[in-house]
Amino acid sequence: MRVGWIGAGVMGRSMCGHVLRAGHEVYVYTRTKASADGLVAAGAHWCASPAEVAQKSEVVVSIVGYPHDVRAIYLEDGGIVANAAPGSVLVDMTTSSPSLAQEIAAAAAVRGIDALDAPVSGGDVGARNATLSIMVGGEAQALERVRPVLSCMGSTIRHMGPAGAGQHTKVCNQMLIAGTMIGMVESLLYAVSAGLSMEDVIAVIGSGAAGCWSVNNLGPRIARGDFDPGFFVKHFVKDMGIALEECRRMGLFVPGLALVEQLYQAAMAQGYAHLGTQSLYKVLCAMSGRREDGGK
Amino acid sequence: MRVGWIGAGVMGRSMCGHVLRAGHEVYVYTRTKASADGLVAAGAHWCASPAEVAQKSEVVVSIVGYPHDVRAIYLEDGGIVANAAPGSVLVDMTTSSPSLAQEIAAAAAVRGIDALDAPVSGGDVGARNATLSIMVGGEAQALERVRPVLSCMGSTIRHMGPAGAGQHTKVCNQMLIAGTMIGMVESLLYAVSAGLSMEDVIAVIGSGAAGCWSVNNLGPRIARGDFDPGFFVKHFVKDMGIALEECRRMGLFVPGLALVEQLYQAAMAQGYAHLGTQSLYKVLCAMSGRREDGGK
């Protein structure tokens, strides 16, 4: 298929590489041209604008930064919706706002174009190994048409409902992570402060009713003082912002999410935007007047 | 071995049954005699008091309700510490206060007795199947002496450190669960409110970076409106109270735990003490003016 591709960050670069290697013809645009160099060297065709990508492709895939980036490439003058051919399918894989996904789908429908929201989970490792989970909102028929492209990147592709349902599912995912993160960092701060070995505690509690991906995967990093990003604080803050906005719109009481978002705002304020989400631990240590090994 | 046993609630009954079946001679006392009927019928000897249990046993195991129950049976006049023979080993498996565990160990040491704190995780199912995780604080040598008894009940037995370290580890476990619970119920409330299928969302998010025991085991119960106890709200409230007390003593900043404890106080106030911990979901629904299926 002729696949348009917009965005070549850590995730997008790996994902687009899989699509190229599967033999699809790829038309790529990125805001910073250099980001696409590797993809172009591997056979992708460079395009000067989102409009050009849209004009040349049957399917357009995007994975960019923030909802305002998504809005810009899809809905502004010279954007994808205005330039894609009727009958094409647009797939936004950015973690973005459910309401925006609905707005794009409605604008696309007017021109006879299908738009899907298809955010992913699985992180950089899942992107590299093509084992992402892809949560899809929009017309089920449109999903079937782009499945050959999505299946290059993900091992689980699930239709969740109408436009916005993919993003709603991703919100659920991030809300649950907010809970596991605060539970994990408080638990490990307690462990070291009580004189326990963090590694021993993780080994015992990680496999029972307290078990979670966060403690088993990020816990050991905290134990060895590794705060490098798997997932950036600044991106998680963006995701929680989207979640809170949707919760406000629906009138939902979500005090856990609200608290965790605030603590991550503190992480940002303390300079941890480009560290991994496990650096929430550093915020709690600072607030508790403790060193990261639990000492005072 | 001659094993004394105090407490025959849901957990204690199963656990003591395994000890009996392994061929140990069991001396049992429970506050309500009827609770021990099954164990006595299976060959345990009834004792009229904790003191009598202590006098007849080489090892005394207790699993009762609250820290004040633990204090009463161990430290009051006519209690276990005053009546056990020098050289015996006391094992409290109640989820109780680390500070109290240290106090009991110190009082026991004066009389030449070893006291271990050995709370468990794994719940009623783990107790029934003898697959509990047992987290042990106290002298490592004393643990080795009672290992033949503990291994009747648990598949993982881990020495965590000196007296109190078992209870400290259990605190870590419950603090992490507090996080996974709030994340889970907020996530599922969002899911139904956004018109998603809770089951579909659990299937997608339960296996990735948001995955946790809570969403995979309690999530499906919420989805089918089942709020029956695996683990009672009232017991979790007790455990979080112990955790908060220890955190205050150590001067730790734990806003997540403090929030979740308050929400469970609301669950108690709304009459859910004897429901399962997943009924936190009902509190958030009520606060959001939503039915449990997400409708208004």
Side-chain angles (χ1 to χ4, degrees), chain A:
Chain A
M1 288 178 108
R2 285 177 288 115
V3 179
W5 195 277
I6 298 177
V10 175
M11 300 288 291
R13 209 170 324 188
S14 295
M15 292 157 70
C16 185
H18 295 305
V19 173
L20 265 174
R21 275 189 294 280
H24 296 286
E25 203 165 337
V26 173
Y27 296 85
V28 66
Y29 167 80
T30 55
R31 200 162 42 183
T32 310
K33 191 177 177 199
S35 313
D37 283 352
L39 295 171
V40 170
H45 307 284
W46 172 256
C47 295
S49 67
E52 188 184 341
V53 169
Q55 286 153 7
K56 291 189 168 155
S57 310
E58 300 161 274
V59 177
V60 179
V61 179
S62 58
I63 180 157
V64 295
Y66 292 84
H68 62 82
D69 300 316
V70 174
R71 177 177 292 280
I73 60 173
Y74 278 93
L75 297 177
E76 283 183 5
D77 291 346
I80 297 166
V81 170
N83 287 280
S88 57
V89 183
L90 317 180
V91 187
D92 182 33
M93 304 187 78
T94 315
T95 294
S96 172
S97 145
S99 310
L100 177 56
Q102 291 160 355
E103 193 182 335
I104 292 169
V110 169
R111 296 201 58 243
I113 299 165
D114 278 301
L116 302 172
D117 48 299
V120 303
S121 81
D124 51 343
V125 177
R128 230 168 17 242
N129 300 337
T131 55
L132 293 168
S133 282
I134 307 177
M135 321 161 198
V136 185
E139 292 292 333
Q141 269 183 304
L143 169 56
E144 290 320 308
R145 286 163 58 206
V146 300
R147 194 179 281 273
V149 176
L150 298 186
S151 60
C152 303
M153 314 169 224
S155 48
T156 304
I157 301 167
R158 189 179 281 245
H159 185 248
M160 299 303 298
Q167 296 296 353
H168 278 313
T169 305
K170 185 68 190 280
V171 167
C172 293
N173 193 73
Q174 303 308 74
M175 289 176 78
L176 181 46
I177 289 178
T180 65
M181 289 304 297
I182 187 68
M184 179 199 36
V185 297
E186 291 187 359
S187 176
L188 295 184
L189 172 61
Y190 182 98
V192 289
S193 302
L196 301 172
S197 146
M198 258 198 228
E199 287 88 349
D200 283 358
V201 170
I202 293 167
V204 173
I205 73 177
S207 57
C212 56
W213 188 95
S214 292
V215 79
N216 289 318
N217 290 274
L218 301 181
R221 296 189 200 179
I222 293 174
R224 60 176 185 265
D226 172 4
F227 295 98
D228 286 347
F231 185 45
F232 282 126
V233 164
K234 65 174 184 172
H235 288 154
F236 193 38
V237 166
K238 180 228 353 176
D239 295 356
M240 287 188 288
I242 292 167
L244 281 171
E245 188 182 315
E246 292 292 317
C247 288
R248 277 190 204 108
R249 199 178 53 73
M250 294 195 264
L252 298 181
F253 175 72
V254 288
L257 173 64
L259 172 67
V260 176
E261 196 268 349
Q262 278 295 297
L263 293 169
Y264 272 102
Q265 290 291 353
M268 295 280 283
Q270 287 164 44
Y272 307 150
H274 292 86
L275 295 186
T277 50
Q278 70 273 25
S279 59
L280 179 61
Y281 178 74
K282 294 163 81 78
V283 175
L284 291 213
C285 287
M287 290 295 284
S288 298
R290 296 264 171 177
R291 293 194 314 263
E292 285 161 23
D293 64 1
K296 285 196 193 185

Side-chain angles (χ1 to χ4, degrees), chain B residues 10-99:
Chain B
V10 174
M11 301 287 292
R13 209 170 324 187
S14 294
M15 292 157 70
C16 185
H18 294 305
V19 173
L20 265 173
R21 274 188 295 279
H24 296 287
E25 203 165 337
V26 172
Y27 296 85
V28 64
Y29 166 80
T30 55
R31 200 163 43 184
T32 311
K33 189 176 178 199
S35 313
D37 283 351
L39 294 172
V40 170
H45 308 283
W46 172 254
C47 295
S49 67
E52 189 183 341
V53 169
Q55 287 152 7
K56 291 189 166 153
S57 310
E58 300 161 274
V59 176
V60 179
V61 179
S62 58
I63 179 157
V64 296
Y66 292 84
H68 61 83
D69 300 315
V70 173
R71 177 177 292 281
I73 60 173
Y74 278 93
L75 297 177
E76 283 182 7
D77 291 347
I80 298 166
V81 170
N83 287 279
S88 57
V89 183
L90 317 181
V91 187
D92 181 35
M93 304 187 81
T94 316
T95 293
S96 172
S97 146
S99 310

